Amino acid sequence: MTSAALRSRAWKLLEMVTTPLLPSDYLDLVSPLRAGADLRGRIEAVHPETSDAATIVIRPGRGWRGHTAGQYVRIGVDVDGVRLWRAYSVTSPTNRQDGRVTITVKAIPDGKVSNHLVRRAKPGTLIQLDQATGDFVLPEAKPAKVLYLTAGSGITPVMGMLRDTEFNDVVMVHCAPQPQDVIFRNELHDLVADKKLQLTEVHTATDGMLDIARLDELVPDWAERETWACGPAGLLDAAEEHWSEYGMPERLHVERFRPSIVVAGDGGEVTFSVTGKTVDADGATPLLDVGEEAGVLMPSGCRMGICFGCVTPLKAGVVRDLRTGEITEAEPGVLIQTCVSAAAGPCDIER
Amino acid sequence: MTAIDPTAHLTAEQIEELGRELDAIRDEVIAGRGEKDAAYIRKVISAQRKLELVSRGVLLFSFFPPAWLVGTAGLSVAKIMDNMEIGHNVLHGQWDWMRDPKIHSTTWDWDHVSPADQWKHSHNELHHTYTNVLGKDNDLGYGIMRVDEDQKWHPFHLGQPLWNFINACFFEYGIAAYDLELGKNLNKRRRKDPEFRARAKAVGRKIRKQVLKDYVIHPLLSGPSFLPTLAATFTANLVRNVWTHSVIMCGHFPEGVQVFERRSIKGETRGQWYLRQMMGSANISGSKAMHFMTGNLSHQIEHHLFPDLPSNRYAEVAVKVRALFDKYELEYVTGPLPKQVFSAWRKVFRLSLPNKKPKGTTPAREQELVAA
């Protein structure tokens, strides 16, 4: 018998010992970061960067496969007891000696996760991790000239790149309201002092928003540069238009942070994605009834919110609990009770 | 179904007002759910796993009598925690709001021979929706006992104290059979129904796994302690079964608890549904440890009003619920465990014998009950 087959036999036996739980349920008690466990990380330190941004140092579990500079990682954090998932750019270089990774988080107004991470997260806390992903990365062949065009927290993936790979000729244009809002400002200025970076800071509180036409003046040879841009949608839209206008859209690489503006309204178009049906629903009819009326096979139970026999994944959109008025937004892994939830906007129910 | 309706003094408006007041209690707890509650259930789960691990470890040396005693006691408590404060409550969806896929009603499995999904259907859906409605809620007597004067007596009921005792000792198997609706499904035609067969197969698989673990694998791992470990696991299962059976008997069987007719729930309003839960359930009074070991089912009334609220919040909810009972002049049936268990058993004995037809029972209604 091969060693792999032997191991799987041994594991089966172990499962018989721990049934109905799994051996991993017990192993998680002592070693949540071991190889083979669900990927997790432990927060080891939280370093403030500005008044509303902080860098989180994470020790990833053994299953972490590393990242490429510029990529992001999804993390699951328990905020007020509820697990919430968000994506953040990795800001550490890929060759960090201690194997830790860092993300840098800017607290956005009413942001549940970002405020928790910046202001309340404690070293020692376990978080859930996904493998790093994203194609906002540097090419294998080094370009001769590079431009980084960033604004606000859009600097984070670019900082991962700056720390990771040195280029001969790098220019950065970064926008932030005031000097003290520039994340990593000291480190950037050190790079400038070492002649490793040419930096232009645009302080939007005094200078106003960056007009993309000013690029000719700020970076006269911008058209010769391979450009990576990350920031608010307005800046990125303008940049894409500008690069297209000059006939070189392929030289511009853009990272857009997920626009998560959900406005809860009353009713909306409901898609049952498995069945492939789409119907209009009002804000008062339970999604269970909406589905059944549309001929979708819906799991059901007590029809009054007590038995949890109707829970179904909410793939996209937003729903309202008809009893409490509470709003639930779609996130990976979110299940809703269809018998007491109504559409609060367009939504996608996995049935 | 007593001749005198203990809710007769309430007007329809009062009943709806009562419903609104209960909704307000529920909303307040939901708004306040948070980190502390999540930490609570995680701590309980972790403690249960450690206790089970240590107890099973001690039982490896159970040829040594003190080790047998300690290991058996620990395993009994671990099994009770698994079934009551953790399993029952997680499977109710009480912790689904945490969005932790590992502590969720859709993924949880328990140390019990009834598969979680079958139990959720018969318990969460049927029992909790149709609480104490004769013919709809089979928890009333589990289909083997007569628990109300209005139910027709049959000579079979003479043996019900014995049936109940056997059910207590092997309660998890009783529940599995009950979730399968075994009595109803064993006749020739239904037995072949593919859906029933699939469910019976699932129960068979679960039983095989549980039995293999408790009565083969762990005793074998104990080597020279094979027999003492076997005896220890059997004892722990027995203790757990008798304990859970006793707690559950106290929930709906003691004197003073009301039973309802099928037609009484036609067009039931939210307020009326709440009222039925209030009159159909009974509590156990006692210490914090008692509440914990019953999985907070000692707060059965509160649990039936709000089956999906986290169990650690029932104690604070109980104060407010009890105030509503007082305000609306309703009887809050509660008492210490021995008193409630005695009361429930007395009813089992009393109704094993035929009784005079209660006043106000029309022949038509009796027929309906027989049909149920």
Side-chain angles (χ1 to χ4, degrees):
Chain A
M1 207 187 297
T2 64
S3 69
L6 207 63
R7 256 209 308 280
S8 107
R9 278 265 173 105
W11 194 253
K12 283 248 162 67
L13 185 73
L14 209 55
E15 282 178 356
M16 283 161 80
V17 172
T18 59
T19 190
L21 300 180
L22 295 170
S24 60
D25 292 325
Y26 289 97
L27 292 172
D28 284 351
L29 289 177
V30 286
S31 177
L33 301 183
R34 73 189 186 283
D38 290 352
L39 189 57
R40 304 184 181 91
R42 196 183 287 286
I43 295 178
E44 291 201 329
V46 179
H47 301 303
E49 296 283 355
T50 65
S51 64
D52 61 357
T55 291
I56 320 286
V57 182
I58 299 162
R59 179 183 157 207
R62 293 276 297 282
W64 175 251
R65 292 200 291 264
H67 74 284
T68 305
Q71 285 191 318
Y72 63 88
V73 61
R74 288 181 66 247
I75 66 169
V77 191
D78 293 338
V79 181
D80 294 333
V82 182
R83 183 155 305 163
L84 300 173
W85 287 84
R86 297 288 185 275
Y88 293 105
S89 298
V90 179
T91 49
S92 49
T94 52
N95 58 355
R96 192 176 151 128
Q97 289 304 307
D98 61 5
R100 309 301 193 255
V101 289
T102 65
I103 54 172
T104 302
V105 180
K106 186 176 188 303
I108 52 173
D110 299 324
K112 277 187 195 164
V113 177
S114 61
N115 278 289
H116 177 85
L117 286 172
V118 171
R119 311 192 199 285
R120 297 202 303 273
K122 295 261 180 317
T125 309
L126 269 187
I127 58 172
Q128 314 297 312
L129 284 183
D130 268 356
Q131 298 291 352
T133 184
D135 45 16
F136 186 69
V137 293
L138 299 172
E140 277 180 40
K142 271 194 190 186
K145 292 174 149 196
V146 171
L147 167 63
Y148 293 131
L149 177 60
T150 58
S153 60
I155 197 172
T156 53
V158 167
M159 199 62 203
M161 294 174 168
L162 265 178
R163 285 168 170 169
D164 192 74
T165 311
E166 273 189 33
F167 295 100
N168 296 327
D169 184 355
V170 190
V171 176
M172 173 183 252
V173 176
H174 178 65
C175 311
Q178 302 174 80
Q180 64 266 35
D181 298 320
V182 175
I183 308 173
F184 312 118
R185 190 159 195 249
N186 289 341
E187 196 176 338
L188 291 173
H189 284 238
D190 287 348
L191 287 172
V192 171
D194 291 348
K195 305 224 178 317
K196 287 178 176 165
L197 175 72
Q198 287 172 262
L199 173 69
T200 304
E201 287 182 32
V202 177
H203 299 138
T204 53
T206 47
D207 311 347
M209 291 296 189
L210 174 69
D211 176 5
I212 204 77
R214 278 183 66 204
L215 212 54
D216 283 326
E217 159 208 338
L218 297 173
V219 190
D221 60 350
W222 67 268
E224 293 163 33
R225 293 178 179 271
E226 197 76 16
T227 301
W228 281 268
C230 184
L235 175 70
L236 299 181
D237 291 345
E240 279 179 339
E241 203 174 304
H242 194 66
W243 260 257
S244 293
E245 208 172 292
Y246 286 83
M248 53 179 101
E250 73 285 349
R251 305 208 84 173
L252 176 70
H253 310 275
V254 164
E255 171 86 319
R256 288 173 189 273
F257 292 150
R258 185 175 71 100
S260 137
I261 308 138
V262 175
V263 182
D266 231 9
E269 192 173 76
V270 182
T271 306
F272 295 93
S273 46
V274 176
T275 326
K277 287 210 168 106
T278 301
V279 288
D280 276 323
D282 60 40
T285 311
L287 288 163
L288 175 59
D289 296 346
V290 173
E292 286 178 341
E293 231 153 84
V296 179
L297 187 61
M298 302 287 287
S300 67
C302 66
R303 309 188 83 94
M304 55 191 296
I306 59 167
C307 85
F308 288 67
C310 66
V311 293
T312 302
L314 175 66
K315 299 285 283 181
V318 56
V319 300
R320 179 178 281 111
D321 188 313
L322 289 167
R323 300 163 301 176
T324 57
E326 200 184 2
I327 292 292
T328 302
E329 275 176 52
E331 271 179 52
V334 165
L335 298 152
I336 53 160
Q337 291 173 275
T338 58
C339 74
V340 287
S341 300
C347 48
D348 181 340
I349 309 293
E350 195 181 285
R351 279 293 157 198
Chain B
M1 249 175 295
T2 30
I4 306 151
D5 178 2
T7 64
H9 61 287
L10 297 178
T11 65
E13 290 77 36
Q14 279 177 312
I15 293 172
E16 293 323 298
E17 177 58 21
L18 169 66
R20 279 189 292 276
E21 289 183 74
L22 286 165
D23 275 337
I25 294 175
R26 180 176 185 279
D27 292 350
E28 203 181 323
V29 174
I30 286 193
R33 277 186 317 205
E35 210 170 312
K36 267 193 191 162
D37 304 286
Y40 169 79
I41 192 64
R42 292 218 164 85
K43 199 171 106 189
V44 172
I45 290 172
S46 157
Q48 190 276 336
R49 285 177 186 170
K50 287 172 188 158
L51 178 61
E52 176 161 358
L53 214 58
V54 168
S55 306
R56 300 257 191 203
V58 170
L59 286 175
L60 297 178
F61 309 96
S62 53
F63 57 83
F64 181 53
W68 188 91
L69 215 62
V70 169
T72 306
L75 189 58
S76 305
V77 173
K79 278 179 176 267
I80 287 171
M81 283 167 76
D82 173 276
N83 277 193
M84 307 294 273
E85 182 67 345
I86 305 172
H88 171 269
N89 296 335
V90 171
L91 290 176
H92 256 293
Q94 291 183 4
W95 302 97
D96 281 14
W97 59 274
M98 299 198 311
R99 298 187 183 177
D100 182 341
K102 288 192 191 286
I103 310 177
H104 200 277
S105 63
T106 55
T107 57
W108 194 262
D109 202 357
W110 55 349
D111 185 345
H112 197 285
V113 295
S114 183
D117 57 334
Q118 294 190 25
W119 181 82
K120 277 193 292 184
H121 172 70
S122 65
H123 181 85
N124 291 1
E125 189 183 331
L126 301 182
H127 167 58
H128 272 273
T129 312
Y130 302 112
T131 310
N132 284 24
V133 177
L134 276 170
K136 290 285 257 181
D137 176 10
N138 295 324
D139 275 36
L140 278 172
Y142 298 105
I144 54 171
M145 285 188 295
R146 182 171 173 259
V147 292
D148 190 85
E149 271 83 358
D150 276 0
Q151 284 173 301
K152 193 177 157 64
W153 181 84
H154 187 276
F156 172 81
H157 292 124
L158 279 172
Q160 74 178 24
L162 181 64
W163 319 145
N164 199 37
F165 177 72
I166 295 170
N167 190 30
C169 294
F170 300 98
F171 194 46
E172 60 174 324
Y173 292 90
I175 292 290
Y178 164 75
D179 292 345
L180 266 178
E181 298 180 88
L182 204 58
K184 192 171 97 185
N185 281 309
L186 269 188
N187 74 54
K188 254 192 188 153
R189 199 165 44 83
R190 291 208 181 178
R191 189 160 65 188
K192 292 206 174 114
D193 174 47
E195 198 234 314
F196 169 71
R197 289 176 74 108
R199 290 197 296 128
K201 238 182 170 164
V203 174
R205 261 198 309 275
K206 190 81 196 283
I207 291 178
R208 195 166 61 239
K209 277 187 177 174
Q210 289 287 109
V211 167
L212 208 60
K213 168 181 78 159
D214 273 348
Y215 300 128
V216 180
I217 306 267
H218 281 283
L220 276 178
L221 286 173
S222 303
S225 293
F226 182 92
L227 283 177
T229 299
L230 189 80
T233 353
F234 182 80
T235 308
N237 280 330
L238 186 71
V239 169
R240 185 261 312 266
N241 287 344
V242 171
W243 175 257
T244 52
H245 178 267
S246 303
V247 169
I248 283 154
M249 281 247 295
C250 294
H252 304 287
F253 288 9
E255 303 286 353
V257 171
Q258 305 298 310
V259 168
F260 306 88
E261 278 181 84
R262 237 195 237 218
R263 59 182 165 204
S264 75
I265 61 162
K266 255 203 176 152
E268 197 177 48
T269 64
R270 182 146 183 84
Q272 288 167 335
W273 183 83
Y274 268 136
L275 189 60
R276 176 157 58 81
Q277 305 303 326
M278 292 167 85
M279 303 319 296
S281 312
N283 279 6
I284 303 167
S285 59
S287 63
K288 273 193 172 164
M290 171 67 83
H291 294 313
F292 178 78
M293 290 305 284
T294 62
N296 278 296
L297 292 180
S298 47
H299 299 299
Q300 186 77 228
I301 297 171
E302 290 73 21
H303 172 58
H304 262 268
L305 290 170
F306 314 114
D308 60 345
L309 289 188
S311 56
N312 61 322
R313 304 301 283 273
Y314 285 145
E316 66 183 73
V317 165
V319 180
K320 296 173 191 168
V321 167
R322 192 154 187 174
L324 285 183
F325 269 84
D326 290 344
K327 178 177 169 188
Y328 290 92
E329 293 170 11
L330 298 166
E331 189 196 357
Y332 190 81
V333 181
T334 185
L337 184 77
K339 180 185 157 223
Q340 299 297 81
V341 170
F342 179 76
S343 172
W345 271 99
R346 192 171 58 189
K347 197 190 237 179
V348 169
F349 272 92
R350 188 168 43 110
L351 294 173
S352 67
L353 300 171
N355 51 274
K356 267 196 239 146
K357 223 189 269 177
K359 271 180 263 166
T361 305
T362 60
R365 189 161 128 205
E366 192 170 73
Q367 251 173 4
E368 184 194 359
L369 287 169
V370 174

